[in-house]
Amino acid sequence: MGFQLLLEHNGTVYNASPIVLEGIRLEQSVLMEAGKLVFCVKRDGIIHFVEGDKVQFSVDGVVRFCGFVMKKERTDAQIITVTAYDMLFYLAKNKGTYVYWDKTAKEVVAMIAGEYGLPTGTLQDTVWKIPQRVEQGQTLLDIIQSALTLTQYATGKEFFLFDSGGLLVLKERKTLMTQYMMRCDGSIQGYSYVTDLTNGTYNEVRLYQAGRKEVEHLAWAIKRPEKIKEWGKLGYYAHIPAALNEAQLQEMAKTILKQNGQIQKTLVVDNCNADVYVSAGQSIYLEIPDLAEIGIAKTVLIEKSIHIFHQGMHQTKLYIRVEE
């Protein structure tokens, strides 16, 4: 396995691979977080780079990360630890106000990317049009997330936004399915499993409508009494477009309750010998017979991946969403 690290400063591209120390750490996520690359280099007086310069990291000739130097930490031994982020960093750092009508989430992504000069790749059509939306003083990433969440609750389809080789890409989850399989046959050396009611689990949904929040009214509500008795009331609140009719509201509430009406389960598979190209957003087949009280043998979603490359070797850590 071979990797290449390129740094671009004022139009000059340097191959920094020979001065890399202690490996390279690549973090990627579909949880609306910027991809991150962390590496250490030994200052050689030849390769010069500053904050804001471009970074490209490739493995066996395949580009795995494109981003920009955002942080440099130096020691008296002339070792520099560098942190670079991809384009989602700019979506997270900038805020804006948008008022729009009859736009799909894809069109919202294209609108924001165009205004901020962020290049795009494949933007899959999300089809469903958001009747109206007011976003005031929110981060660009939150504005896009709101559009994707509304789309998911209206259609049941989940879309992921991420940086792919220096281009913003929007893809439906099902298009990222893989045939990759991982079993407890020596490739998994450790794991942790968390079940959680505190974040993202709901047994009651209340949807409100109005042109202004101070005069909003309850438009639709749905609940699961048996789960309220079991867990206590865990309510979901949302202010949604006034243009949605009763049938649309009912379907949206049902979808929200279906997708969030269970205990959240997260599995972290550590020190595994996964394929170098396994990454966040992909769905893989995972088999761990003795996982907690349930065992698992099913297709799961990778929400976040960490790859560490060092001396021709690499280790992987995967954060996995376990769904019923």
Side-chain angles (χ1 to χ4, degrees):
M1 179 191 306
F3 67 80
Q4 184 182 61
L5 182 70
L6 302 179
L7 295 168
E8 182 178 345
H9 176 70
N10 288 341
T12 300
V13 178
Y14 298 98
N15 182 3
S17 308
I19 63 171
V20 172
L21 304 173
E22 301 178 6
I24 296 176
R25 180 184 178 95
L26 172 63
E27 299 184 17
Q28 295 171 308
S29 171
V30 289
L31 300 176
M32 300 302 272
E33 301 171 351
K36 182 166 75 170
L37 190 74
V38 180
F39 57 93
C40 294
V41 295
K42 176 74 173 180
R43 186 176 180 186
D44 64 355
I46 299 173
I47 297 177
H48 181 63
F49 65 98
V50 298
E51 294 79 359
D53 283 349
K54 292 183 179 179
V55 181
Q56 179 177 293
F57 175 62
S58 303
V59 179
D60 292 338
V62 178
V63 176
R64 295 299 309 279
F65 176 89
C66 282
F68 305 89
V69 174
M70 292 296 172
K71 183 179 179 181
K72 296 170 67 177
E73 300 178 50
R74 306 159 181 82
T75 70
D76 55 2
Q78 301 303 306
I79 294 174
I80 307 172
T81 300
V82 182
T83 303
Y85 292 98
D86 64 24
M87 280 193 294
L88 266 69
F89 174 87
Y90 296 105
L91 293 175
K93 286 297 180 181
N94 287 286
K95 293 184 178 182
T97 294
Y98 287 88
V99 180
Y100 61 86
W101 295 266
D102 293 324
K103 284 188 180 294
T104 65
K106 171 190 173 180
E107 291 171 332
V108 172
V109 172
M111 173 180 67
I112 291 175
E115 183 172 336
Y116 283 81
L118 303 177
T120 59
T122 300
L123 299 179
Q124 290 186 346
D125 193 358
T126 52
V127 182
W128 187 73
K129 288 185 177 293
I130 301 165
Q132 61 184 42
R133 190 72 180 171
V134 178
E135 298 280 6
Q136 186 172 6
Q138 302 297 313
T139 70
L140 305 180
L141 206 55
D142 285 341
I143 292 170
I144 292 172
Q145 178 64 81
S146 294
L148 293 177
T149 298
L150 282 171
T151 300
Q152 181 179 352
Y153 288 158
T155 66
K157 296 179 180 180
E158 188 171 13
F159 290 84
F160 297 136
L161 178 75
F162 54 94
D163 184 315
S164 178
L167 300 174
L168 282 180
V169 168
L170 181 67
K171 290 190 175 182
E172 188 179 353
R173 173 180 169 175
K174 70 178 184 180
T175 67
L176 298 170
M177 295 284 293
T178 73
Q179 299 298 316
Y180 189 78
M181 304 175 69
M182 186 180 294
R183 294 187 172 96
C184 280
D185 55 3
S187 61
I188 297 176
Q189 300 179 28
Y191 65 82
S192 64
Y193 178 61
V194 177
T195 53
D196 185 6
L197 278 176
T198 67
N199 184 28
T201 296
Y202 307 103
N203 49 32
E204 181 182 65
V205 175
R206 298 168 69 87
L207 303 179
Y208 288 77
Q209 284 180 308
R212 292 167 45 179
K213 287 190 176 182
E214 59 266 31
V215 293
E216 68 187 5
H217 64 277
L218 179 62
W220 193 266
I222 187 173
K223 60 184 177 181
R224 298 176 64 186
E226 74 282 2
K227 290 300 182 182
I228 293 176
K229 183 178 180 180
E230 183 178 352
W231 302 331
K233 184 175 289 188
L234 302 172
Y236 176 91
Y237 164 94
H239 183 265
I240 49 84
L244 295 182
N245 60 38
E246 183 174 312
Q248 291 172 315
L249 289 169
Q250 182 179 5
E251 190 61 33
M252 181 175 287
K254 287 180 178 179
T255 301
I256 294 170
L257 199 58
K258 178 181 178 181
Q259 295 184 347
N260 299 281
Q262 60 276 328
I263 297 172
Q264 299 299 306
K265 302 172 183 178
T266 304
L267 173 66
V268 180
V269 179
D270 208 353
N271 295 322
C272 59
N273 298 318
D275 189 285
V276 66
Y277 300 113
V278 170
S279 62
Q282 295 176 343
S283 293
I284 64 172
Y285 181 83
L286 178 66
E287 190 173 296
I288 305 178
D290 61 347
L291 177 65
E293 69 281 1
I294 58 171
I296 187 171
K298 62 189 299 185
T299 299
V300 296
L301 171 70
I302 302 172
E303 292 189 322
K304 182 177 180 179
S305 60
I306 299 176
H307 290 272
I308 300 175
F309 303 86
H310 182 58
Q311 296 181 344
M313 304 291 290
H314 110 283
Q315 282 290 313
T316 308
K317 186 172 186 176
L318 303 176
Y319 293 78
I320 291 170
R321 184 197 302 173
V322 180
E323 299 165 306
E324 294 181 357

